[in-house]
Amino acid sequence: MKPNAVVAQQKAEERGPAVENKALQELRSLSRDLQAVRLQVEQQLGGSQSSEEWIQVGFIIDRLLFGLYILFISVSFFTIIIIWVNSYSQ
């Protein structure tokens, strides 16, 4: 073993159980805090069933409106082409 490792090990043994208990209590407190934060984040990200259903309804309406938009643009394009062709043929 290196001399530094031996000195570090001796210092750890000199600290005694009081320091280790304090560190252990601090780790347990940190663990409880992290679990509380995790639970809160899971609740927020989980959402509810009704919000998921409304998201699906939104997707359906979005697709419907996009389809109507494409149909309107296509009909308008063909109408303009037909009017343009008829005006040049006269």
Side-chain angles (χ1 to χ4, degrees):
M1 255 190 210
K2 294 183 179 180
N4 290 339
V6 172
V7 171
Q9 186 178 6
Q10 288 174 351
K11 285 184 180 180
E13 291 173 358
E14 290 173 1
R15 289 185 209 156
V19 174
E20 289 179 10
N21 285 339
K22 187 175 181 182
L24 189 59
Q25 288 174 352
E26 188 67 31
L27 285 174
R28 286 182 180 151
S29 173
L30 183 62
S31 174
R32 284 191 300 269
D33 292 343
L34 287 174
Q35 285 177 349
V37 168
R38 179 178 170 230
L39 182 64
Q40 199 170 29
V41 168
E42 284 178 354
Q43 286 175 350
Q44 286 181 351
L45 291 179
S48 64
Q49 183 66 25
S50 63
S51 66
E52 293 293 326
E53 290 173 357
W54 277 111
I55 289 173
Q56 293 299 320
V57 169
F59 285 146
I60 292 169
I61 291 173
D62 186 50
R63 288 180 187 158
L64 176 68
L65 291 176
F66 180 71
L68 290 174
Y69 171 75
I70 295 296
L71 179 67
F72 175 76
I73 294 297
S74 300
V75 168
S76 299
F77 177 74
F78 287 123
T79 303
I80 290 170
I81 295 297
I82 290 171
I83 291 172
W84 188 30
V85 168
N86 286 337
S87 70
Y88 276 115
S89 66
Q90 291 178 352

